[in-house]
Each structure stands twice: as C-alpha cells, then as structure tokens.
Amino acid sequence: MSKTLKPYTMITDFITGKDIPNIGAEENRQAIERYLVEQKGYLKEDIQVDADLELIVAGELYRSQLDLVISADGGKTRYMAIRCGAGSLGSREREIVAAARLLDNYQIPLSVVSDGKTAIVLDTVSGKKIGEGMEAIPSKRETIEKLESLNLLPFPKDRLEREKLIFRTYDSENVNVQRNI
C-alpha cells in the first residue's frame, strides 16, 4: 500500500488568515468559523483554531488538536470546544466530550460537533445533548451571560485515565487531518 498522499489544494483559514490544506472536513470548519463570527457575534480573537492537546496515555505521549475552542472573555475561560466533521455527527459526540474534559484543568462547559450545516450541542459535565441545529450554538452574548454564574468543575481524577483512553481511541481514527500530512 502506498504512503503517498492524495493531492490537495490550499485554502485560507477564515480566522487565522493562514493558508491551510483543504483536506477532511476543512470546508465544514470554515463554514462554522464564519457562522460563529457573522451570525453568533464572536470575534476572530475569541476563536482558537487547532488548539493543541497533549496527554500521557498508558505511559506514552499522545498529541492531537481540537478544531475550535471558543472564549468570550478575552481568552480567560474556554467555554466551548468544537469538533468539525463530515458524515454522522453522532459518532463524534463522545470524542468531543472527552476532549473538552481533558483540554484544561476544568471541563470546558460545552462540547459541539458540527458539519457546518447542523450541530449537536452537549453539556460536557453530564455528556448529555442539550441542543441540536446551528441555532443551538450559543451567541457570544449568551456565553458572556453564562460565564457570570459558571462553576467550572475539574474532571474527576479517578476517571481521568479512562477518559484519555476514550479520547485517543476516537481521535486516532481521524486520518484526514492536517497533523497527519
């Protein structure tokens, strides 16, 4: 089997302005980025693209990235983690919940999977679906209001290793991603 990659074109990322390979669900991510800025009121500075996630899983370093991480308070509090995908969004729910539980020293409150046309919004702590459709993604104003009374919870230490294994298992199946080029 050949290790040669399929040819790909480059596009300009809406948030960063950098040229990036148009592979996997990149066009879907661009649609979500535009939606967050143009419809939901976020500033480009509120959106972190390809947030690095490094974990020690079963004694080995595992590196990955989250597609988008959203803040509304100048980057102090990460409020929403988004995985952009193509195809079945339901198959990505557990992956983004695990990532949102592991990225920081607290559980990022909302986990979202989206294909740029629709979305599933999940409460990270409970893992339960709390909304569906692009309109279910909170606006910047709604996020700021929630931040005022938010109690950020760490992920329980006794479940941490299991959560890392869950994330790595799902994430390692993502082959059409920029970090694998």
Side-chain angles (χ1 to χ4, degrees):
M1 191 157 155
S2 171
K3 291 198 177 230
T4 306
L5 294 172
K6 292 180 181 178
Y8 54 85
T9 58
M10 302 295 282
I11 59 175
T12 303
D13 183 74
F14 179 73
I15 298 296
T16 66
K18 295 179 182 175
D19 285 340
I20 54 173
N22 186 12
I23 58 174
E26 191 57 52
E27 289 178 359
N28 298 359
R29 176 164 65 175
Q30 296 307 308
I32 297 163
E33 288 178 6
R34 287 184 188 283
Y35 181 78
L36 290 169
V37 172
E38 295 171 358
Q39 303 297 318
K40 293 294 183 170
Y42 291 96
L43 301 174
K44 289 181 179 183
E45 297 79 32
D46 295 330
I47 303 168
Q48 183 180 6
V49 177
D50 289 331
D52 290 327
L53 177 58
E54 292 187 356
L55 307 168
I56 302 296
V57 184
E60 294 184 20
L61 180 63
Y62 183 78
R63 289 187 173 105
S64 187
Q65 293 177 320
L66 290 181
D67 294 324
L68 303 170
V69 179
I70 313 303
S71 301
D73 60 358
K76 290 183 273 183
T77 309
R78 291 170 162 169
Y79 184 74
M80 186 171 26
I82 302 176
R83 175 64 83 194
C84 307
S88 170
L89 295 181
S91 66
R92 302 216 177 245
E93 288 178 26
R94 189 61 181 91
E95 176 187 356
I96 191 59
V97 167
R101 290 173 172 170
L102 298 169
L103 184 64
D104 246 308
N105 59 355
Y106 59 89
Q107 297 178 74
I108 296 172
L110 293 185
S111 302
V112 178
V113 289
S114 179
D115 61 5
K117 296 178 186 102
T118 191
I120 298 171
V121 180
L122 304 131
D123 174 82
T124 300
V125 174
S126 70
K128 295 189 185 307
K129 184 188 314 185
I130 57 174
E132 199 162 344
M134 295 297 277
E135 65 282 349
I137 297 173
S139 68
K140 181 173 181 171
R141 176 178 290 176
E142 291 167 324
T143 297
I144 290 169
E145 289 172 8
K146 291 281 188 190
L147 286 173
E148 292 174 7
S149 62
L150 193 61
N151 182 21
L152 299 171
L153 301 172
F155 191 70
K157 289 186 183 196
D158 63 325
R159 293 174 41 209
L160 195 57
E161 288 306 312
R162 180 175 177 266
E163 201 69 10
K164 289 177 182 181
L165 287 167
I166 289 168
F167 175 74
R168 183 186 66 182
T169 300
Y170 279 96
D171 185 67
S172 63
E173 297 295 319
N174 296 326
V175 293
N176 279 335
V177 290
Q178 186 174 337
R179 69 180 181 269
N180 291 337
I181 294 181

